[in-house]
Amino acid sequence: MTIVSDDITRMHVGAIVNAANESLLGGGGVDGAIHRAAGPDLLKECRTVGPCPTGEARITAGYRLPAQYVIHAVGPIWCGGGRGEPELLCSAYRSSLGLARENDVQSIAFPAISCGAYRYPIEAATGIALREVAAFLDQYSTPEQVFFVCFGEQVRAAYDRQIGEVVGPGPEHAD
Ligand code: AR6
């Protein structure tokens, strides 16, 4: 597991994950950036694979992106925490990793799903991301490499603070 500060559309990996909405028809934030960078064929394919319920994910090609695939995950909108938000966020990460595994994707990059427009508290969301990914990697050998891509200081700080608790301290986890 590696924490990086970057624009996810620039990542040369097997798959990047999009923080999408249920329609899969695009939006703002990382979703908008991914659609702009991939080009209009991404939206065409999304029309054929969507909609996608919250907590699930769908896979498409990456088109003009350096990544081979885009995995469109739908995280929950934060409504105070009493509407199953933690379980739905866990499920969005697990579903994405399951699709990566089924498609033999060896490297995958996640944005901080639900941490922007969907207002999930960052510390809680990044903790879920780290624990779900660590549990999956304990169980399966694919994907081999997972990047947590931070776009902003707050998300970066939250990952940096918590990664040691999940996997133990080590220089290989920072970038
Ligand atoms: N690379 C990496 N991370 C990014 C990038 C980027 N280029 N751009 C933004 N982020 P958000 P959500 C970070 O709002 O909360 C869309 O309209 C951002 O700083 O993109 O899951 C969808 O269509 C934040 O930390 O996704 C949905 O309607 C994180 O990505 C809705 O927003 C997620 O922020 C989904 O909301």
Side-chain angles (χ1 to χ4, degrees):
M1 303 202 292
T2 308
I3 302 163
V4 296
S5 295
D6 207 343
D7 174 348
I8 203 165
T9 64
R10 290 154 31 100
M11 298 287 296
H12 291 256
V13 286
I16 61 169
V17 176
N18 182 14
N21 59 65
E22 290 189 345
S23 78
L24 298 194
L25 298 180
V30 71
D31 196 359
I34 288 172
H35 276 272
R36 275 193 301 279
D41 288 340
L42 179 61
L43 182 58
K44 280 189 202 150
E45 188 178 357
C46 281
R47 289 188 201 284
T48 71
V49 300
C52 173
T54 300
E56 294 187 19
R58 301 286 184 266
I59 190 165
T60 67
Y63 299 97
R64 293 181 195 156
L65 290 162
Q68 189 185 358
Y69 295 107
V70 179
I71 294 173
H72 306 263
V74 184
I77 299 170
W78 180 257
C79 296
R83 298 202 186 164
E85 293 96 328
E87 293 76 14
L88 289 165
L89 189 59
C90 289
S91 169
Y93 277 94
R94 267 200 311 276
S95 303
S96 302
L97 291 162
L99 280 174
R101 183 167 171 261
E102 281 168 29
N103 289 275
D104 207 26
V105 168
Q106 295 302 339
S107 57
I108 181 171
F110 282 97
I113 299 171
S114 289
C115 288
Y118 283 0
R119 303 182 313 272
Y120 207 108
I122 287 173
E123 196 82 14
T126 50
I128 283 175
L130 287 166
R131 286 191 298 275
E132 283 304 319
V133 169
F136 196 93
L137 298 184
D138 274 350
Q139 199 173 354
Y140 302 108
S141 55
T142 299
E144 284 174 352
Q145 198 173 19
V146 178
F147 295 94
F148 297 98
V149 183
C150 307
F151 204 68
E153 281 310 305
Q154 242 191 312
V155 168
R156 174 83 205 211
Y159 275 120
D160 284 343
R161 261 197 305 275
Q162 294 179 88
I163 190 155
E165 295 162 23
V166 177
V167 294
E172 70 275 21
H173 302 304
D175 185 41

